């Protein structure tokens, strides 16, 4: 079985979207998505505690588009 790893698929000023591909025992792959929010504090980009998790790409992309430069 292949190791799991998160890959950043979108990055904006205030948001990032990551994808995890998880190999399935019977073959194939299941994909999961995680959105993370960021803020600027004293000129530094700081990750906020708030995250969003998705099992489908379309809602994940909509979330990213809404938050990328809000």
């Amino acid at each position: 079985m292949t190791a799991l790893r998160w890959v950043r698929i979108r990055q904006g000023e205030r948001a990032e979207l990551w994808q995890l591909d998880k190999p399935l025992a019977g073959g194939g792959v299941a994909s999961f998505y995680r959105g993370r929010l960021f803020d600027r504090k004293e000129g530094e980009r700081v990750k906020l505690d708030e995250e969003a998790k998705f099992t489908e790409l379309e809602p994940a992309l909509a979330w990213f588009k809404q938050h990328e430069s809000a």
Side-chain angles (χ1 to χ4, degrees), residues 1-66:
M1 184 171 267
T2 306
L4 303 176
R5 69 182 176 128
W6 287 99
V7 177
R8 185 173 45 221
I9 59 174
R10 297 281 190 280
Q11 180 176 5
E13 178 63 28
R14 296 209 4 99
E16 290 182 351
L17 187 60
W18 294 75
Q19 177 177 342
L20 172 72
D21 291 328
K22 179 180 178 183
L24 301 174
V29 175
S31 294
F32 301 93
Y33 306 91
R34 175 181 290 163
R36 292 186 172 161
L37 293 177
F38 293 83
D39 199 0
R40 285 269 173 203
K41 292 187 180 175
E42 299 177 11
E44 302 250 345
R45 191 170 183 242
V46 178
K47 185 174 81 104
L48 301 176
D49 289 336
E50 186 177 339
E51 290 186 349
K53 296 179 181 178
F54 304 93
T55 56
E56 296 180 6
L57 180 59
E58 292 79 15
L61 290 173
W63 176 92
F64 177 78
K65 187 160 185 81
Q66 179 184 1

